[in-house]
PDB file of all heavy atoms in Angstrom:
ATOM      1  N   ALA A 125      56.276  62.623 235.963  1.00 97.00           N
ATOM      2  CA  ALA A 125      56.433  62.111 237.358  1.00 97.00           C
ATOM      3  C   ALA A 125      57.898  61.688 237.531  1.00 97.00           C
ATOM      4  O   ALA A 125      58.437  61.835 238.581  1.00 97.00           O
ATOM      5  CB  ALA A 125      55.479  60.863 237.722  1.00 97.00           C
ATOM      6  N   GLY A 126      58.554  61.127 236.554  1.00 97.00           N
ATOM      7  CA  GLY A 126      59.932  60.707 236.688  1.00 97.00           C
ATOM      8  C   GLY A 126      60.870  61.855 236.685  1.00 97.00           C
ATOM      9  O   GLY A 126      62.104  61.713 236.770  1.00 97.00           O
ATOM     10  N   MET A 127      60.399  63.069 236.535  1.00 97.00           N
ATOM     11  CA  MET A 127      61.245  64.331 236.441  1.00 97.00           C
ATOM     12  C   MET A 127      60.922  65.122 237.637  1.00 97.00           C
ATOM     13  O   MET A 127      61.517  66.235 237.756  1.00 97.00           O
ATOM     14  CB  MET A 127      60.874  65.024 235.228  1.00 97.00           C
ATOM     15  CG  MET A 127      60.941  64.226 233.854  1.00 97.00           C
ATOM     16  SD  MET A 127      60.560  65.330 232.490  1.00 97.00           S
ATOM     17  CE  MET A 127      60.136  64.024 231.234  1.00 97.00           C
ATOM     18  N   ALA A 128      59.920  64.758 238.433  1.00 97.00           N
ATOM     19  CA  ALA A 128      59.371  65.822 239.421  1.00 97.00           C
ATOM     20  C   ALA A 128      60.337  66.316 240.308  1.00 97.00           C
ATOM     21  O   ALA A 128      60.434  67.570 240.599  1.00 97.00           O
ATOM     22  CB  ALA A 128      58.297  65.073 240.182  1.00 97.00           C
ATOM     23  N   LEU A 129      61.262  65.636 240.884  1.00 97.00           N
ATOM     24  CA  LEU A 129      62.293  66.121 241.947  1.00 97.00           C
ATOM     25  C   LEU A 129      63.267  67.005 241.210  1.00 97.00           C
ATOM     26  O   LEU A 129      63.611  68.058 241.722  1.00 97.00           O
ATOM     27  CB  LEU A 129      63.022  64.972 242.678  1.00 97.00           C
ATOM     28  CG  LEU A 129      64.069  65.451 243.633  1.00 97.00           C
ATOM     29  CD1 LEU A 129      63.359  66.354 244.599  1.00 97.00           C
ATOM     30  CD2 LEU A 129      64.624  64.198 244.372  1.00 97.00           C
ATOM     31  N   ARG A 130      63.638  66.543 239.948  1.00 96.00           N
ATOM     32  CA  ARG A 130      64.605  67.332 239.200  1.00 96.00           C
ATOM     33  C   ARG A 130      64.031  68.747 238.765  1.00 96.00           C
ATOM     34  O   ARG A 130      64.660  69.767 238.720  1.00 96.00           O
ATOM     35  CB  ARG A 130      65.094  66.654 237.967  1.00 96.00           C
ATOM     36  CG  ARG A 130      66.170  67.285 237.220  1.00 96.00           C
ATOM     37  CD  ARG A 130      67.489  67.316 237.838  1.00 96.00           C
ATOM     38  NE  ARG A 130      68.637  67.795 236.968  1.00 96.00           N
ATOM     39  CZ  ARG A 130      69.344  66.935 236.249  1.00 96.00           C
ATOM     40  NH1 ARG A 130      69.201  65.648 236.229  1.00 96.00           N
ATOM     41  NH2 ARG A 130      70.356  67.563 235.478  1.00 96.00           N
ATOM     42  N   ALA A 131      62.746  68.802 238.522  1.00 96.00           N
ATOM     43  CA  ALA A 131      61.983  69.946 238.169  1.00 96.00           C
ATOM     44  C   ALA A 131      62.070  70.956 239.364  1.00 96.00           C
ATOM     45  O   ALA A 131      62.232  72.124 239.257  1.00 96.00           O
ATOM     46  CB  ALA A 131      60.584  69.606 237.650  1.00 96.00           C
ATOM     47  N   LEU A 132      61.834  70.405 240.531  1.00 96.00           N
ATOM     48  CA  LEU A 132      61.793  71.226 241.741  1.00 96.00           C
ATOM     49  C   LEU A 132      63.170  71.663 242.021  1.00 96.00           C
ATOM     50  O   LEU A 132      63.322  72.938 242.455  1.00 96.00           O
ATOM     51  CB  LEU A 132      61.486  70.355 243.048  1.00 96.00           C
ATOM     52  CG  LEU A 132      59.934  70.087 243.165  1.00 96.00           C
ATOM     53  CD1 LEU A 132      59.749  69.132 244.312  1.00 96.00           C
ATOM     54  CD2 LEU A 132      59.232  71.466 243.499  1.00 96.00           C
ATOM     55  N   LEU A 133      64.264  71.091 241.733  1.00 95.00           N
ATOM     56  CA  LEU A 133      65.566  71.538 242.018  1.00 95.00           C
ATOM     57  C   LEU A 133      66.049  72.428 240.963  1.00 95.00           C
ATOM     58  O   LEU A 133      67.157  73.130 241.115  1.00 95.00           O
ATOM     59  CB  LEU A 133      66.551  70.396 242.168  1.00 95.00           C
ATOM     60  CG  LEU A 133      66.203  69.438 243.403  1.00 95.00           C
ATOM     61  CD1 LEU A 133      67.162  68.214 243.514  1.00 95.00           C
ATOM     62  CD2 LEU A 133      66.120  70.171 244.715  1.00 95.00           C
ATOM     63  N   GLY A 134      65.462  72.672 239.806  1.00 88.00           N
ATOM     64  CA  GLY A 134      65.829  73.457 238.628  1.00 88.00           C
ATOM     65  C   GLY A 134      66.752  72.900 237.651  1.00 88.00           C
ATOM     66  O   GLY A 134      67.703  72.324 237.847  1.00 88.00           O
ATOM     67  N   ASP A 135      66.263  73.119 236.460  1.00 80.00           N
ATOM     68  CA  ASP A 135      66.860  72.732 235.192  1.00 80.00           C
ATOM     69  C   ASP A 135      66.356  73.475 234.147  1.00 80.00           C
ATOM     70  O   ASP A 135      65.179  73.398 233.920  1.00 80.00           O
ATOM     71  CB  ASP A 135      66.745  71.192 235.026  1.00 80.00           C
ATOM     72  CG  ASP A 135      67.663  70.610 233.913  1.00 80.00           C
ATOM     73  OD1 ASP A 135      67.353  70.928 232.782  1.00 80.00           O
ATOM     74  OD2 ASP A 135      68.722  69.994 234.201  1.00 80.00           O
ATOM     75  N   GLY A 136      67.314  74.125 233.310  1.00 76.00           N
ATOM     76  CA  GLY A 136      66.799  74.935 232.236  1.00 76.00           C
ATOM     77  C   GLY A 136      65.986  74.327 231.090  1.00 76.00           C
ATOM     78  O   GLY A 136      65.524  74.993 230.312  1.00 76.00           O
ATOM     79  N   SER A 137      65.973  73.033 231.101  1.00 82.00           N
ATOM     80  CA  SER A 137      65.405  72.385 229.948  1.00 82.00           C
ATOM     81  C   SER A 137      63.846  71.943 230.249  1.00 82.00           C
ATOM     82  O   SER A 137      63.225  71.357 229.410  1.00 82.00           O
ATOM     83  CB  SER A 137      66.081  70.946 229.657  1.00 82.00           C
ATOM     84  OG  SER A 137      65.920  70.055 230.696  1.00 82.00           O
ATOM     85  N   PHE A 138      63.346  72.408 231.394  1.00 87.00           N
ATOM     86  CA  PHE A 138      61.935  72.076 231.703  1.00 87.00           C
ATOM     87  C   PHE A 138      60.979  73.030 231.127  1.00 87.00           C
ATOM     88  O   PHE A 138      60.972  74.228 231.469  1.00 87.00           O
ATOM     89  CB  PHE A 138      61.774  71.963 233.199  1.00 87.00           C
ATOM     90  CG  PHE A 138      62.279  70.642 233.810  1.00 87.00           C
ATOM     91  CD1 PHE A 138      63.409  70.396 234.323  1.00 87.00           C
ATOM     92  CD2 PHE A 138      61.237  69.542 233.800  1.00 87.00           C
ATOM     93  CE1 PHE A 138      63.808  69.202 234.776  1.00 87.00           C
ATOM     94  CE2 PHE A 138      61.722  68.303 234.195  1.00 87.00           C
ATOM     95  CZ  PHE A 138      62.997  68.155 234.728  1.00 87.00           C
ATOM     96  N   PRO A 139      59.969  72.556 230.371  1.00 90.00           N
ATOM     97  CA  PRO A 139      58.832  73.486 230.056  1.00 90.00           C
ATOM     98  C   PRO A 139      57.838  73.668 231.241  1.00 90.00           C
ATOM     99  O   PRO A 139      56.885  74.463 231.048  1.00 90.00           O
ATOM    100  CB  PRO A 139      58.186  72.688 228.764  1.00 90.00           C
ATOM    101  CG  PRO A 139      58.516  71.387 229.107  1.00 90.00           C
ATOM    102  CD  PRO A 139      59.902  71.322 229.738  1.00 90.00           C
TER     103      PRO A 139
END
Side-chain angles (χ1 to χ4, degrees):
M127 313 177 195
L129 180 55
R130 188 69 173 270
L132 278 173
L133 297 180
D135 187 290
S137 65
F138 276 96

